[in-house]
Amino acid sequence: MNSKEKKEIKVPMKEQFGNYMVPVRDALEVFSGKWKIPIITALSFYESCGFKELERIVEDITPKMLSKELKFLEDNLLITRKVEDTRPVTISYSITEYGRTCKSVMSELYRWGVEHRKKVFNIEGKTWDKCLGH
Amino acid sequence: MNSKEKKEIKVPMKEQFGNYMVPVRDALEVFSGKWKIPIITALSFYESCGFKELERIVEDITPKMLSKELKFLEDNLLITRKVEDTRPVTISYSITEYGRTCKSVMSELYRWGVEHRKKVFNIEGKTWDKCLGH
DNA sequence: CATACTGCTATACTTTTGGATACCACTATA
DNA sequence: TATAGTGGTATCCAAAAGTATAGCAGTATG
């Protein structure tokens, strides 16, 4: 129990790093999950999409998840929802300028992920094809 | 239904981007969740730790989660588990050289997360303190 | 007036994630 | 020989995340 007996005293993370995990968790909330990155990517590419359009672009997503994630992304100022004055009324979802800052994070995840596949599964080019659809 | 009628034809993500989500998901598997980043960070800082030591450093983690995540990180070549020839037997968990490549991803998540807090919660320095501890 | 398109919501699940608690074998120390 | 430290496992449970399926109001279009 005496500190003399311990060769090295290792303090808890918070003492060492403060609350560095708080912003990391904020970021993870935006980028983790099955659908947020695909939606952000779709809107980064297409500028503006309707709800049903997104349902088709982001394959296999259910309307419930799409609706939920769009609200989340809007709350986080990454996209906008605009009601267009057309008949019938259409909605256009677009990425914001701020939303485009996600690209650097997504690129880093992609880059690391590619290296990770090489390292862990020893996949370079050939076997890689297996992962494309099938 | 005719393509003439559509002003713009938006193709599904896979057609546009192939399987770019595969490595992104691989990366997210490593960096998402409540405990992986804290564990990686702890081992990046302390070089080598025992199980009970990690239980104290990574605050509030249960042995079940710690055990599970350590196995996962080992399977992903990010850490090593070495049985030391001591009495009693001790185990030393260490980060691998490869494991250190996680740093660039975690830094990017941190950097973006800090900006995101500023943007969304309008938090700069003062209110920030609220997030430290309690 | 039936059909189909838009932009969703509602309900009932299943799966995944993580937490709580107890406990185990082994070894050292007082 | 009781106590405490090491490195975990086992069991049960709650909450979160995601899926499946149905439906609805409004507006066209044939």
Side-chain angles (χ1 to χ4, degrees):
Chain A
M1 228 59 168
N2 283 332
S3 50
K4 312 176 200 174
E5 294 174 72
K6 281 281 172 191
K7 271 145 196 182
E8 191 187 359
I9 296 142
K10 289 166 185 171
V11 306
M13 296 294 287
K14 257 185 191 163
E15 222 169 296
Q16 199 62 248
F17 293 99
N19 278 46
Y20 96 108
M21 269 305 290
V22 170
V24 171
R25 265 198 293 269
D26 290 340
L28 282 176
E29 220 185 312
V30 169
F31 295 103
S32 68
K34 191 169 176 184
W35 300 114
K36 282 166 219 145
I37 292 185
I39 294 170
I40 294 168
T41 307
L43 290 174
S44 299
F45 187 76
Y46 282 123
E47 292 291 325
S48 166
C49 298
F51 189 90
K52 290 281 184 190
E53 244 172 359
L54 279 169
E55 240 181 299
R56 286 185 298 263
I57 297 167
V58 182
E59 289 158 280
D60 298 330
I61 194 168
T62 60
K64 182 191 165 188
M65 287 309 293
L66 182 54
S67 172
K68 186 187 152 201
E69 302 296 43
L70 287 171
K71 267 167 201 153
F72 174 86
L73 296 173
E74 198 190 348
D75 289 344
N76 281 266
L77 311 180
L78 301 169
I79 67 170
T80 55
R81 178 184 185 274
K82 194 180 167 200
V83 181
E84 298 293 343
D85 188 15
T86 53
R87 318 235 22 217
V89 181
T90 52
I91 310 291
S92 71
Y93 290 97
S94 312
I95 195 148
T96 59
E97 267 317 297
Y98 173 59
R100 296 202 184 273
T101 67
C102 293
K103 200 191 166 189
S104 61
V105 181
M106 300 189 311
S107 297
E108 182 60 19
L109 287 170
Y110 177 81
R111 189 196 62 74
W112 194 90
V114 168
E115 293 307 308
H116 192 58
R117 289 223 136 218
K118 286 186 199 165
K119 180 83 181 181
V120 174
F121 305 108
N122 214 25
I123 286 170
E124 194 81 39
K126 189 179 132 225
T127 326
W128 178 250
D129 299 335
K130 278 195 193 168
C131 313
L132 297 163
H134 39 270
Chain B
M1 227 59 168
N2 285 332
S3 51
K4 311 177 200 173
E5 293 173 73
K6 281 280 174 193
K7 271 145 196 182
E8 191 186 1
I9 295 141
K10 288 164 185 172
V11 306
M13 296 294 286
K14 258 185 193 164
E15 221 169 297
Q16 199 62 248
F17 293 101
N19 277 45
Y20 97 108
M21 271 304 291
V22 170
V24 171
R25 265 198 293 268
D26 290 341
L28 283 176
E29 220 185 312
V30 169
F31 296 102
S32 68
K34 191 169 175 183
W35 299 114
K36 282 165 220 146
I37 292 185
I39 294 171
I40 293 168
T41 307
L43 291 175
S44 299
F45 187 76
Y46 282 123
E47 292 290 325
S48 165
C49 298
F51 189 90
K52 291 282 184 192
E53 244 172 358
L54 279 169
E55 240 181 300
R56 286 186 297 264
I57 298 167
V58 182
E59 289 158 282
D60 298 331
I61 196 168
T62 60
K64 180 192 162 188
M65 287 309 294
L66 183 54
S67 173
K68 186 187 153 203
E69 302 295 45
L70 287 171
K71 269 167 201 152
F72 174 86
L73 296 173
E74 199 190 349
D75 289 344
N76 282 266
L77 311 179
L78 301 169
I79 68 170
T80 55
R81 178 184 185 276
K82 195 180 168 198
V83 181
E84 299 292 344
D85 188 16
T86 54
R87 320 240 14 224
V89 183
T90 52
I91 310 290
S92 70
Y93 290 97
S94 311
I95 194 147
T96 59
E97 268 318 296
Y98 174 59
R100 296 202 184 275
T101 66
C102 292
K103 200 191 166 192
S104 61
V105 181
M106 300 189 311
S107 297
E108 181 60 20
L109 286 169
Y110 177 79
R111 190 196 61 76
W112 194 90
V114 168
E115 293 307 307
H116 192 58
R117 290 223 137 221
K118 287 187 198 164
K119 180 83 181 182
V120 174
F121 306 107
N122 214 26
I123 285 168
E124 196 80 39
K126 191 179 131 224
T127 326
W128 179 249
D129 300 336
K130 278 194 192 166
C131 314
L132 297 163
H134 41 270

